Amino acid sequence: MIKHIVLTRFRSDVSEDTISEIYAGLAGVTARLEGASGFHGGRSTSPEKIERGYMHGFTIDFDSFDDLAAYSDDAEHKRWGAEIVAHAEGGLDGVLVLDVEA
């Protein structure tokens, strides 16, 4: 299994409603693609408070790297990904992506 982890520093003018809409769109992509499951996302509630500005994030589980590649190539995913970059502090500099084999 591959755990896809995305952390974002959204600009301060981006509303929680906008972020929720983006995450709902990505959850929809996850639900429709074979080999993708378990979308979880939202605002950090960590008591440690060491997010360093990355206050929002999401994870998706993929059965394989091929399934992750299908997600990456999906047009709807690209649309929502572009929304994240457009709303992130510094564009792509405000986004971290990790893919961890589990």
Side-chain angles (χ1 to χ4, degrees):
M1 180 182 78
I2 311 305
K3 178 75 73 176
H4 181 64
I5 305 162
V6 179
L7 304 176
T8 306
R9 286 181 309 176
F10 284 104
R11 294 188 326 266
S12 61
D13 65 321
V14 178
S15 71
E16 290 293 328
D17 287 343
T18 298
I19 297 166
S20 293
E21 179 183 342
I22 293 168
Y23 284 1
L26 289 169
V29 173
T30 303
R32 111 177 128 65
L33 290 179
E34 190 171 322
S37 63
F39 180 94
H40 297 283
R43 184 177 179 84
S44 177
T45 57
S46 173
E48 295 176 300
K49 306 230 183 280
I50 54 173
E51 295 92 349
R52 298 180 188 201
Y54 290 90
M55 296 303 298
H56 294 83
F58 68 88
T59 62
I60 303 171
D61 297 332
F62 292 95
D63 293 341
S64 69
F65 277 110
D66 288 340
D67 295 320
L68 174 58
Y71 168 82
S72 295
D73 291 338
D74 182 81
E76 191 176 354
H77 159 260
K78 288 180 180 183
R79 174 183 164 240
W80 291 115
E83 287 291 316
I84 288 174
V85 172
H87 289 90
E89 188 72 41
L92 193 55
D93 286 342
V95 181
L96 295 176
V97 177
L98 302 171
D99 295 307
V100 179
E101 288 188 77

